[in-house]
Amino acid sequence: MASRLGGLASVLVGSGLVLSLGFGAPARGTEADPEGPYGIPREERYLYRPVPAVEVATQQGVVRLDRLWGERPVLLTLVYTRCSGVCYPFVRSLRDAVRRVGGLGRDYRVVVLSFDPEDTVETMAAMARNVGLADRPDWIFGVTAPTSIERLTQAIGYWIRWDPAARQYDHPAVLIGVDRGRVVRFLVGATVEPARLYEVIRELRGEMVGTYPLPRKGVLFRCLQYRPGRGTALDWGFLLLPAPGFAAFGITAFLFWSVRRRRACPVHSPGGP
Amino acid sequence: MDRVTPVLLLEVASAGIVLVFAYVALRSRRAGAVVPSRARRLQVGLLVGLLGFAGLLLAFTFPRAPYPRRAERPDRVVFVVGKQFSFAVSERPITNDSEWQEAVAFGEPVTLAPGELVEFRVTSFDVNHGLSLYDPDHVLIGQVQAMPGYVNRLRFRFTKPGRYEVLCLEYCGHGHPRMRGYFFVK
Amino acid sequence: MLHGEASLAWPTPVLLERGEAVSEAEDVGFRRMTLVWVATVLALVVVLGTLGWLMRLTQGNWLTLRPEWFYSLMTLHGLGMFGTWYIATMAAVTYLLSRYVRPSLSASRFVYGLTLVAVSLFVIATLVGRFSPGWYFLYPLPFYSQGVWKPWATAVFFTFVGLLGVAWLIWEVSLLGAIARRWSLPQALGWDVLFGRRSVSDVPLAVHIATVMLVLHLSALLSAVVLLSLYTLEGIGTGIRNDPLLMKNLVFYFGHVTAEVTTNLSFMVVLELLPRLAGRPPFRVNRMFAAAFNVILVLIAVTYLHHLLMDFAQPFWLRVLGQTASYLIPIPAAVVTIFIVLTLIYGSRIRWTLPAVLLYLGVMGVAIDGIGAAFISSTPALQFLFHNTLVAVAHLHLGFVMGVVLINLGFVFQFVKELSRSEESSWTTWAIPVLLAIGGYGLVLMFSLAGVASVPRRYAIYPEELARGVTMARFAIVPLALLTAGALLYLWELVRRWPHAWAASRLSSSEAASS
């Protein structure tokens, strides 16, 4: 019996891991059918779509999402406490990334919302304690009504599927940047990389990047570098722009100096006055 | 910004310059150079006037620049990729050549609603192209460069319903005059 | 050299005075060399102008040219004219500088030979190889010909650019070296007047302007060296690729600075020649001039950024810098250079000969172009509507045809007229400028109107919905014909005097004076 349970547990954990590995793939590189109901949500379909202002119940009381994002942008993620798969690792990686990138409280708040109707304010508080985020004012762990869950998940393309065999929900791991009620970025993946989070924060902060360079191999000199974590910065190639000006001055100065030096030396004096 | 007024003002200013030159040329026939102190005063006046004008114009035109503003959030995103010699205009990102081919050949035309703020994400897969927006009356109402290796973001709000053409505005080879894309506003 | 009222029989020569630095033999050499440059420039302009005709006729649907051919001709016309008028101006500058310093005649001859070789390569690349990425060969278009031109044509083209760059580098360094023999760099740049105690420099204004502009253009050539090196690294298959944004910045730095330098060197020609024609003393470098040209030196290096206003990839602050610098740069030109020309002419009782009229009109053209360039071409809100339409074409034709070209034509006519010791008829004195002005401004107007009407530039064929482009191209034939008539009349007047001028150029000024 113990070995059977053990075997079942390992299958559960294993499938959870496999699922999370699958979800750990970068958001863009997915092969999942975007049209299928259980594919990985594609960011562009939901970009700038409005997010319903659902009510979130927390240990501190009830708050509407629009009141939250009215004050500052919100990073929203959907989890459930009975999760033996990706949820806890995901929230921990989000916690670590937020710590690395900074700006919490000033630029944004995080809402960790449960989509499981069986979750309560207490179970979510327990989850918060579990990941070391209890009593943090800018980390909001809460639950919402089942009808709100449905409105929310439909609006942002999130899907939830109950697996009776595993007695677990199958679901993607997402992080949504919400600014004034609209989806600004949509990250999918089992872990939150600080670099990706930084991009989301910048967007939320309203830093309008009129462009962003695409990665290209073999480029020798670039004007700009897009360094995740630092944003767009000038690269060495940029020096090639003012360099000719300074070099021209230098060459001219040298030319004048050497011609006048030769003039001072009678042996090399050219003809003429 | 309206296109006719600045050009009219330019013509008026040009006419002014012609008149000044004509006047001076006519006055060359009568002897008598400009008094240096008067010339100095004119110069200083011109300097101050032009500096002031430049400053005012900067202040006026700066906020009207077509660069995307931080505070706005667009309602829609449209992806445009230029490649010799067609534009693919799509609601889905186009990340490689085959997606581009598919979008150009079989893609559903993008339809936008009037009044919504649209963000174009523009790039090129080969050479520099120029994304231009020609309204249903074939008037150029905006543009942005499509540079390979970069994604440029242009935000625009369309009001007139109809078919909009995207013509290439950066010379890109012999097919340049026939390179185009389109979308609808309705 | 001060002159009183000009004699009615034959005006005292104002150009043909030998400078102290050059010997009689060298002076003859420079005169001949200038004539050779002039003849070459005019021959090139005739050919390149014809290409312009072909383009307008094609756009007006009167001629059918396949796009591949249209665009080779466009590349040849654009880069050809751009380079040719730079050469013309430099030839005039070299001659004028020979009155104050001793340029190297052998360098000048060598540069001429190299230029001819380079230009031949260019013609081969475009007319034989059908190399047609346009005159600023924007990266990476030379590598994406879609079969229209082969890699050999690209290689030949870049060889041409390299050779021309070497030729111009030698030319400029030799002129700077000649200046260096008489003055130090701070003196030549006017810094002793600007920052020191002196209120007037003994550096002639021509030398001062030439120094500033040559240093600037040296930087443009160096950026072309970088550009060419990066192209070559990629072209020879090292696997290295270049950043399109960097390459665009480099090519526009090169192109824009060359255009500005050409314009300012043309101003130098005006400021040398016009006082003498007006019987006024030559200008000296005072604080005003030194300040103006040093400010222009700094601003020119930065104004090129206005070519990238519609590249949102370009860092925002660089675009702001471009707009600001472009708004500021007409100021020293208006307040100093153009103002000085106007005060010079006012009350001068200048004898309005053809050269004087052409020089004066040329300054006016640059003034008009200056405001357009500043305020239309450098305002992002307007560039949003006009960038890469025929408005851009209007702007560059205005500045070049009605500015630089007229000034150079004025210089050339004065030069040939003095050498050939001929007078001019009052009919041609007025017919030529009137035809050139109406034709030139008419041509520019048609381009502007078309651009404002949303007609794009560089379209060999206009699509159905832009049929107004065809109509306007057809109307443009009228001013183009007038411009051509004026140019042909000018050429005729020049050709008539040429044999005498050529013969007289062999004589030194003392021999010529006594004969």
Side-chain angles (χ1 to χ4, degrees), chain A residues 52-65 68 76-82 88 110-128 139-150 152 169:
Chain A
V54 302
E55 285 192 342
V56 177
T58 71
Q59 278 210 310
Q60 286 74 35
V62 175
V63 67
R64 265 170 65 113
L65 279 181
L68 288 175
L76 176 66
T77 186
L78 290 158
V79 296
Y80 73 113
T81 60
R82 289 186 282 157
Y88 283 84
V110 187
V111 173
V112 183
L113 192 59
S114 171
F115 58 76
D116 183 357
E118 297 206 10
D119 266 325
T120 63
V121 167
E122 286 72 33
T123 57
M124 289 303 282
M127 184 192 219
W139 281 90
I140 296 153
F141 284 76
V143 296
T144 187
T147 44
S148 296
I149 293 171
E150 202 176 313
L152 187 61
Y169 283 109

Side-chain angles (χ1 to χ4, degrees), chain B residues 112-160:
Chain B
L112 307 168
E116 63 179 0
L117 185 63
V118 180
E119 176 174 292
F120 292 95
R121 296 201 178 175
V122 184
T123 187
S124 159
F125 280 169
D126 46 19
V127 301
N128 281 277
H129 296 283
L131 171 129
S132 67
L133 303 168
Y134 276 79
D135 76 4
D137 298 318
H138 313 303
V139 175
L140 178 62
I141 55 175
Q143 59 175 292
V144 72
Q145 293 287 95
M147 184 176 263
Y150 291 85
V151 176
N152 287 337
R153 298 159 80 167
L154 169 68
R155 291 191 179 155
F156 207 91
R157 208 180 288 270
F158 297 95
T159 48
K160 214 185 280 183

